[in-house]
Amino acid sequence: MPPTTSKPRILTGDTPTSTGLHLGHFVGSLENRLRLQDDYDCYFLIANVHAFTTLADKPDQIRANTLGIVKDWLAVGLDPDRSTFVLQSEVPAIAELTFVFAMLLPFNKVMRNPTLKTEIDTKGLGDTYSFGFPMYAVGQCADILAFRPELVPVGEDQEAHIEMCRDVALKFNQLYCGVNNRTLPDDHHKSGGVFPVPKAKIGRVARLAGTDGVNKMSKSLGNAIFLYDSEKDVQKKINKITVQPDPETKLVPQSHVLLQYCDAFLPKNRAEAIRADYAAGKDVMHGHIKAELGAAINTLLTPIRERRAKLEATPDGGDAVVQDVIRQGVKKANAVAEETLYLAKKAMKVDFGGRTFA
Ligand code: TRP
């Protein structure tokens, strides 16, 4: 039986499509995870199977990215002794639930999912993406529901996925657990539903723009500041941000990325003062603001960088430690996910036995 704890559960995760996490991940979700580790029973998932939906021909890269992201988690302060690290490919119940959940979602609704649509655009997938690509959104419902969490800390871009996940939970509980269709989502679990209907918890900064000032920060767009970037690289990337006043108003718009970063990384009163200066059209020295921002971001990243360097200061670059952490998490993750699968199969009346669940 899975270890019992009275703490409510959360689940969230990252897809190892890049070598490491960036500031967008930090303010969008990692910060929340750190804060929630004490009060919640936390599950942090590394979606390595999902990475194959766009990188099927790059298994080595996915493996390296997987190790890199777990190193980032450890460096940031996610604690495998308090929280459970879940490697998706080691939890078969997730794949089994994905197939079941695919039957509960209208195909067209999945294809209209705005997060998927944006990804198809920004990654230039055209119409050549695999069948598995949109399927990952269904898989994400299974990632979440396998752990029956109450909260899912994510960035704003993931909201459509969480909404789909809520739809799946509602539908499952109604179809197979006798929950009335007038029952409020929050009451589903106590009314006999297998799945609590989880809520998204959006980070302090819902969407962090990249250094290009246009798109969401993302490795594939080359506009990201990574947690592992050196002090120099951080400052260089900030310095490259262009600050041009609007030709008509002659003012730098309040929505400008530099001002977004001031809000995100400088003390509140300082960010407000800078905003006021820009709004009043004062002769603001962009260079000084950039130096101040670079320093603030580096203050945030220095301890993370140091912890990562320490972890990597072995001949194998810390890989063995990460493997142990993964093994430790997989055990607990499977205990919980297998219990969920057992409950789901019973509700669906396909519990004919023969298989022993953990
Ligand atoms: N799709 C998420 C991202 O790209 C990562 C992810 C996979 C996830 N499974 C999840 C996030 C489950 C929250 C819950 O950031």
Side-chain angles (χ1 to χ4, degrees), residues 4 10 18 42 59 67 80 83 94 113 124-125 137 149 153 191 195 208 218 240 252-253 267 279 288 329 333:
T4 46
I10 68 167
S18 69
C42 294
L67 296 170
S83 302
I94 293 176
N113 177 313
L125 302 180
S191 306
F195 297 108
L208 191 74
S218 145
K240 270 217 243 143
V252 172
H288 288 178

Side-chain angles (χ1 to χ4, degrees), residues 170 174 178-188 191:
L170 292 168
Q174 284 163 2
V179 177
N180 191 299
N181 64 7
R182 286 182 307 277
T183 303
L184 294 172
D186 283 353
D187 294 338
H188 263 232
S191 306

